[in-house]
Amino acid sequence: MDPGEAAGIAIAIALVGGIGTSLYLLWPMIKRLSALPKETVQNKSAAAVKIGILGAAKIAPMAVIYPCRKLENATIAGVAARSYQKAKDFAKKYGIEEIYGS
């Protein structure tokens, strides 16, 4: 199960059962997602798809960054946010080279 699918399931369970039930049912999934690699695959393909993140949102690491790090044929090229400083902080935290502000 990919992190995006897991997030959708988490939202559905939270809406139906409340936060306590959600945490109880989702704990195994949360543990599994937290074990996703935090380091980038070292041998990225020269033809790797370059992905840009629009908005330094809290869901971006789980939905885009960590899954992308597992792939050899995709890389995070840059991040853009309304505030240049927010984009800069986000890029520093997740090791993204290109930074864009509005």
Side-chain angles (χ1 to χ4, degrees), residues 4-5 7-8 10 14 17 23 30 35 39-40 42 44 47 52 54 56 60 72 74 76 78 82 91 93 98 101:
E5 185 180 359
L23 289 176
I30 292 168
E39 297 299 322
T40 303
Q42 297 301 317
K44 294 282 186 173
L54 298 176
E72 293 179 15
I76 303 294
R82 288 183 190 171
K93 183 175 182 178
E98 295 293 323

Side-chain angles (χ1 to χ4, degrees), residues 8-50:
I9 292 170
I11 292 169
I13 292 174
L15 291 174
V16 173
I19 193 71
T21 303
S22 300
L23 289 176
Y24 175 76
L25 294 174
L26 293 174
W27 186 248
M29 188 185 318
I30 292 168
K31 285 176 59 178
R32 196 168 128 220
L33 289 173
S34 66
L36 286 173
K38 305 294 189 267
E39 297 299 322
T40 303
V41 171
Q42 297 301 317
N43 299 321
K44 294 282 186 173
S45 167
V49 174
K50 294 180 181 178

Side-chain angles (χ1 to χ4, degrees), residues 8 16 20 28 34-36 38 41 50 52 62 65 75 78 84 96 99-100:
V16 173
S34 66
L36 286 173
K38 305 294 189 267
V41 171
K50 294 180 181 178
M62 185 175 71
I65 296 173
T75 185
Y84 182 80
I96 301 170
I99 305 163
Y100 304 95

